[in-house]
Amino acid sequence: LVPDSYDPEKAYPVEFMLHGGVGRPKREPGESLWRSGYDSLRQEDRIVVVPGAWRDAYWWQSSQADNLPALLRLLKQSYNVDENRVTMTGVSDGGTGAYFFAFKQPTQWAAFMPYIGHPGVLRNTNSGGGYRLFFENLQNKPLYIVNGEVDRLYPAEAVKPFIDILERIKVNYTWVVIEGGGHNTQWLPEQAPNIEAFKTANPRDPLPDHLQWVTDRVDRYNRNHWLIINQRSKQGAPAVLEVIRDANQFNVMADGAGEFTLLLSPDEVDFNQPVQVVVNGETLLDERVEMSAPTLFKWARGDLDRSMLFLAEVVIEVPEQ
């Protein structure tokens, strides 16, 4: 849904809106996914994307993990997108889908708004999930969470243990409990100003100085912005990395990671000076890194992100621990 007043000279925020009821059959061509139709979702200040999910393609399955970023890339090819204001909103099963992307591949997104969903669904193999959830990964992006007090599926009290973890590890989150609220979004008009203020206050930092990531696989779900985990070193255990960058110095705490890649941007790294990578107190790299046009083209073509351009890849092997 593109604004009628779209101006290609202006960069537009993008909002992905994930619907609920993913256990239903796939919609027929021309059949609306939204009960009130799509026109009610159109806004003049942003581009709105309404993708579809069904019982063979839940939001938290690999097909959608590929599909949603691909849709964003297609959008960037045709429209002027503000890459640092791309958000994901989800309702019910869509809210659970928003949790999935926050846990597993947050790089493209600025913030997540999961409404009347529950992250525990992602652990359930019967729901198409069966994932291990690493709460450290939620420290990377802000969340605006809404649950109803008497929701028949996911009452607020059932979600509270999850919220307690977010509080303990200092995730940037807002949790709104709708007093007397059920499994619906009747509260949305009243909450809308607060939600919009939250989005405005939380643009994406495309090149953060502090990153952490935990993953139990390296074929996917292994990247966070400029950090990629290539190999795990402990069978049955996840790879854990925390990286703090200070100019050209990268201080890394690694556990269970055998190899990782750092993507270097000229917006953050001075390529005329040595790059130093210290892993668990041991200096593994201290030398100049050459800029590479093929590397620039590779990541620019893959990300289509003007605020996140990389001119070098540094691959680090972690000594056995």
Side-chain angles (χ1 to χ4, degrees):
L1 300 170
V2 179
D4 293 331
S5 59
Y6 173 77
D7 177 0
E9 298 299 318
K10 173 185 173 183
Y12 283 77
V14 174
E15 182 170 8
F16 275 65
M17 302 187 70
L18 311 188
H19 64 79
V22 298
R24 298 184 177 94
K26 186 177 181 181
R27 269 72 171 183
E28 296 296 326
E31 185 180 356
S32 176
L33 296 166
W34 223 258
R35 291 180 181 176
S36 59
Y38 296 123
D39 286 342
S40 63
L41 304 176
R42 188 182 302 275
Q43 300 187 55
E44 285 304 302
D45 65 344
R46 74 196 64 180
I47 297 171
V48 178
V49 182
V50 190
W54 57 95
R55 62 189 177 196
D56 296 319
Y58 290 1
W59 296 125
W60 47 90
Q61 294 178 332
S62 59
S63 57
Q64 297 285 11
D66 294 336
N67 179 45
L68 268 59
L71 289 176
L72 180 58
R73 289 187 74 256
L74 285 172
L75 198 64
K76 291 175 179 178
Q77 291 173 15
S78 300
Y79 297 99
N80 190 353
V81 168
D82 185 341
E83 296 97 333
N84 296 323
R85 292 195 179 276
V86 180
T87 59
M88 181 179 290
T89 297
V91 177
S92 190
D93 284 339
T96 300
Y99 281 125
F100 169 77
F101 278 84
F103 272 113
K104 296 297 183 180
Q105 49 185 61
T107 297
Q108 296 96 337
W109 317 99
F112 298 92
M113 275 63 65
Y115 304 149
I116 60 173
H118 197 306
V121 175
L122 299 174
R123 289 193 174 115
N124 187 347
T125 55
N126 294 327
S127 74
Y131 297 101
R132 297 177 67 182
L133 302 182
F134 305 111
F135 283 80
E136 298 93 334
N137 292 352
L138 296 184
Q139 293 179 312
N140 298 289
K141 298 293 170 71
L143 299 123
Y144 194 102
I145 305 166
V146 181
N147 290 101
E149 181 185 27
V150 293
D151 187 323
R152 58 184 173 80
L153 294 179
Y154 310 124
E157 191 62 29
V159 180
K160 189 176 185 305
F162 164 73
I163 301 298
D164 290 342
I165 297 175
L166 301 188
E167 181 68 26
R168 187 164 65 248
I169 65 175
K170 302 187 185 307
V171 170
N172 178 5
Y173 78 95
T174 295
W175 187 39
V176 178
V177 177
I178 305 301
E179 185 176 353
H183 196 70
N184 57 61
T185 55
Q186 295 174 4
W187 44 266
L188 192 52
E190 182 179 343
Q191 285 294 319
N194 295 332
I195 294 168
E196 292 305 315
F198 184 83
K199 295 175 188 175
T200 300
N202 289 285
R204 184 188 68 158
D205 179 356
L207 300 168
D209 293 332
H210 181 197
L211 284 179
Q212 52 190 358
W213 198 244
V214 185
T215 187
D216 56 359
R217 56 191 296 181
V218 294
D219 59 328
R220 59 167 66 239
Y221 315 138
N222 62 328
R223 179 188 177 190
N224 186 14
H225 287 254
W226 45 262
L227 173 64
I228 302 169
I229 299 177
N230 305 324
Q231 295 178 11
R232 296 159 56 202
S233 62
K234 295 181 180 179
Q235 187 173 3
V240 182
L241 281 180
E242 181 175 13
V243 187
I244 298 175
R245 181 188 61 219
D246 183 5
N248 278 30
Q249 181 169 330
F250 295 79
N251 289 304
V252 183
M253 296 297 294
D255 183 20
E259 181 185 282
F260 63 89
T261 296
L262 301 174
L263 305 177
L264 306 187
S265 168
D267 292 330
E268 299 291 340
V269 171
D270 182 356
F271 284 91
N272 294 315
Q273 301 297 324
V275 173
Q276 185 179 69
V277 180
V278 180
V279 181
N280 297 334
E282 180 180 354
T283 300
L284 300 184
L285 178 74
D286 191 1
E287 60 187 48
R288 285 185 58 184
V289 175
E290 294 297 323
M291 292 182 284
S292 164
T295 298
L296 172 63
F297 297 148
K298 169 187 172 181
W299 291 102
R301 184 169 55 246
D303 291 336
L304 289 183
D305 195 319
R306 295 164 294 187
S307 64
M308 200 168 61
L309 299 174
F310 303 110
L311 279 169
E313 299 177 345
V314 172
V315 179
I316 301 293
E317 293 188 14
V318 181
E320 290 188 14
Q321 303 165 17

